[in-house]
Amino acid sequence: MVHRIAVIPGSFDPVTLGHLDVIERAAGLWDEVHVVVVHNPAKEAMLPINERVSLLERSIADAGYPGTIIVASWSMGLLVDYCTDVGAHVLVKGIRSQVDVAYETPMAIVNRKLAGVETVFLLPDPAHGHVSSSLVRQVAALGGDVSPYVPPAVAERIQRA
Ligand code: PNS
């Protein structure tokens, strides 16, 4: 029997309720899902990578999603090399708007050309359509309440800072 593996990459700085929605739904569609934290040099980071990984692990465990979900980080080069290493043929991304489509389309085309890895876009639950990590970072930096947008583990971490 074919064991189908999907990879959900991102900065996850921090993981939001929008990310978790995509992770939960992907876990229902694929046999194994890898959530991979990747450093994005275009963005100024709020949290170190190891903390983003542990917050993802805690948030996924707290939510208790069924299915096999593995959290990892990748800093060894191309994301498609991670996919090849674990035997994944699909990347999964959440798409909230036309802006996301414009941002994701070139990456999807390049990843398919580089290694034949397809990208599947999932539309968000409308409840989370406006949520982004950059919005959370901005609200957090200005001392606002981020709890409507992030899982409890992340809200606690930000309140402690
Ligand atoms: O959450 P983000 O910051 O929008 O995620 C962007 C990310 C990390 C998925 C993207 O920058 C990426 O895929 N980086 C890996 C580097 C790579 O493989 N680049 C070449 C093909 S796009």
Side-chain angles (χ1 to χ4, degrees):
M1 214 177 82
V2 182
H3 185 79
R4 294 188 190 278
I5 303 172
V7 167
I8 308 181
S11 302
F12 300 106
D13 186 32
V15 56
T16 67
L17 296 180
H19 292 132
L20 288 179
D21 172 46
V22 170
I23 292 166
E24 177 183 16
R25 287 157 55 203
L29 291 167
W30 282 272
D31 300 312
E32 185 175 315
V33 167
H34 291 232
V35 182
V36 182
V37 180
V38 184
H39 171 64
N40 184 345
K43 295 178 179 173
E44 199 182 330
M46 177 176 77
L47 299 170
I49 299 239
N50 62 340
E51 210 173 350
R52 295 183 225 166
V53 168
S54 62
L55 286 169
L56 267 162
E57 285 170 340
R58 273 184 60 196
S59 304
I60 290 165
D62 289 349
Y65 302 137
T68 304
I69 306 175
I70 291 160
V71 181
S73 63
W74 181 248
S75 56
M76 307 286 285
L78 292 171
L79 180 62
V80 291
D81 291 341
Y82 178 92
C83 295
T84 305
D85 278 5
V86 301
H89 302 284
V90 173
L91 290 165
V92 177
K93 301 280 187 86
I95 286 285
R96 293 160 299 191
S97 66
Q98 290 300 324
V99 175
D100 283 350
V101 175
Y103 174 65
E104 296 291 350
T105 300
M107 291 197 278
I109 293 168
V110 168
N111 285 325
R112 183 150 57 94
K113 226 176 172 72
L114 280 169
V117 174
E118 295 283 0
T119 300
V120 171
F121 297 122
L122 295 181
L123 295 175
D125 184 313
H128 307 306
H130 61 293
V131 178
S132 68
S133 295
S134 58
L135 178 107
V136 169
R137 289 197 298 275
Q138 201 176 110
V139 173
L142 298 171
D145 177 18
V146 296
S147 60
Y149 314 114
V150 295
V154 173
E156 275 166 33
R157 166 64 182 81
I158 287 174
Q159 270 155 24
R160 256 196 295 120

